[in-house]
Amino acid sequence: MKSAVLLVTLFFVGASAQLKCPHPPSQWCTSWEIAKACQVEEQCLDYNNRKDIKKNNEQNVNVELYYECLCGGCREFLVLQLYPTFLMLHDIMNITLVPYGNAEEKNVSGKWEYVCQHGPEECYGNTIEACLVHLLQDIRSYFPVIDCMEMSPNVTGALEPCLQAHEPELPVKTVLDCVNGDLGNKLVHANAQRTQALVPPHQYVPWIVINGKHDDDLQSRAQKALFNLVCELYKGSKPDACTGKDLTPLKRESVCLN
């Protein structure tokens, strides 16, 4: 029912485009090509994000990570805390990865251009990871690839071997076509909007939001022992992994200031 309401909304948003669109509204968000042809790309990106969130268990602990791919503190949290916790507690948590961080964007002749804290290579890597999330859809597919990249000495250079190790059916060319094309540009813009809409506004990365909330205490506890925090906050029947299980806390809390 909610999907039908959204499609009606999309219909009115793209009414003028729909006159030229050969596809019915029910198909507008089924592929990037159709969304682009009907000029509802941004609406469909938002729709797919909301759909992924709603389909998850409402009792699950929601963890949103706002980060940038070359930030040392971001990589440390993702590799040492978030991914190991995901491996053990994926049934009771929902994870949202938003690669953008402290970047800045501006619209130049209808296309978004980005300046990233750690240079053009970081903008490239952020786009790669945004494309992986979009192309693979399922976090069980894209998170191992992103973790593999983030734990590598050369994050962007690790794309091909990490795909081969975890998702060999996804061609590198498909990812790069996304990265270098209109789709990748719009995906990063969507992440920029999501980051800019944070309340309170982010002051550094990694910026961690737990169940829709960010404060210093949650941030500190997540960076020290995310596993413990997720087990504590989950209101359903605790999984076996939460009984007496712990992760080694980080020795320090690293951030990249905005």
Side-chain angles (χ1 to χ4, degrees):
M1 185 64 172
K2 292 181 180 178
S3 296
V5 171
L6 180 60
L7 287 170
V8 169
T9 302
L10 285 172
F11 175 83
F12 286 108
V13 168
S16 60
Q18 194 267 348
L19 295 175
K20 301 178 183 179
C21 178
H23 306 280
S26 61
Q27 296 181 7
W28 284 1
C29 295
T30 58
S31 76
W32 174 252
E33 290 74 17
I34 293 176
K36 186 174 181 180
C38 298
Q39 299 179 30
V40 290
E41 306 101 298
E42 291 189 14
Q43 291 84 358
C44 286
L45 289 173
D46 182 64
Y47 167 59
N48 286 328
N49 282 337
R50 293 175 184 272
K51 181 179 67 174
D52 288 343
I53 292 172
K54 288 179 180 178
K55 74 182 181 181
N56 290 314
N57 190 322
E58 291 184 359
Q59 287 187 315
N60 284 5
V61 179
N62 297 301
V63 180
E64 301 170 43
L65 174 62
Y66 296 81
Y67 71 106
E68 50 200 29
C69 72
L70 298 187
C71 162
C74 300
R75 298 174 68 184
E76 186 175 53
F77 175 73
L78 189 150
V79 171
L80 297 183
Q81 291 287 341
L82 187 57
Y83 189 66
T85 302
F86 162 75
L87 290 178
M88 292 181 287
L89 300 178
H90 57 85
D91 288 337
I92 66 167
M93 63 189 301
N94 306 323
I95 296 174
T96 302
L97 300 179
V98 186
Y100 183 76
N102 298 329
E104 298 179 359
E105 69 172 1
K106 63 179 179 179
N107 193 309
V108 179
S109 301
K111 184 174 182 179
W112 295 101
E113 293 187 357
Y114 301 96
V115 176
C116 295
Q117 185 171 21
H118 300 93
E121 188 73 7
E122 182 166 79
C123 290
Y124 182 59
N126 288 344
T127 311
I128 288 175
E129 295 187 6
C131 284
L132 288 170
V133 171
H134 177 78
L135 293 170
L136 290 169
Q137 295 291 316
D138 189 336
I139 192 168
R140 293 170 296 183
S141 298
Y142 63 75
F143 202 3
V145 181
I146 291 174
D147 174 71
C148 175
M149 291 175 60
E150 291 294 337
M151 68 186 300
S152 302
N154 183 343
V155 174
T156 58
L159 171 62
E160 185 167 2
C162 288
L163 274 179
Q164 284 296 315
H166 297 284
E167 289 295 327
E169 294 184 1
L170 177 63
V172 175
K173 183 180 183 302
T174 301
V175 180
L176 295 182
D177 285 346
C178 171
V179 170
N180 297 316
D182 186 54
L183 175 55
N185 190 260
K186 289 185 180 296
L187 289 170
V188 176
H189 175 58
N191 284 349
Q193 290 184 307
R194 189 164 189 166
T195 303
Q196 291 158 8
L198 283 167
V199 179
H202 87 285
Q203 301 171 6
Y204 49 79
V205 287
W207 188 261
I208 304 162
V209 177
I210 308 290
N211 288 337
K213 180 181 178 181
H214 173 92
D215 59 33
D216 291 343
D217 179 62
L218 284 173
Q219 176 86 20
S220 177
R221 294 176 68 193
Q223 287 193 267
K224 287 179 179 177
L226 180 65
F227 179 92
N228 289 352
L229 181 60
V230 172
C231 285
E232 176 186 326
L233 294 177
Y234 182 64
K235 300 306 181 184
S237 178
K238 305 290 185 185
D240 291 341
C242 285
T243 305
K245 192 77 175 178
D246 197 359
L247 289 178
T248 302
L250 296 180
K251 294 182 179 179
R252 60 187 177 86
E253 295 177 359
S254 301
V255 297
C256 295
L257 295 176
N258 188 1

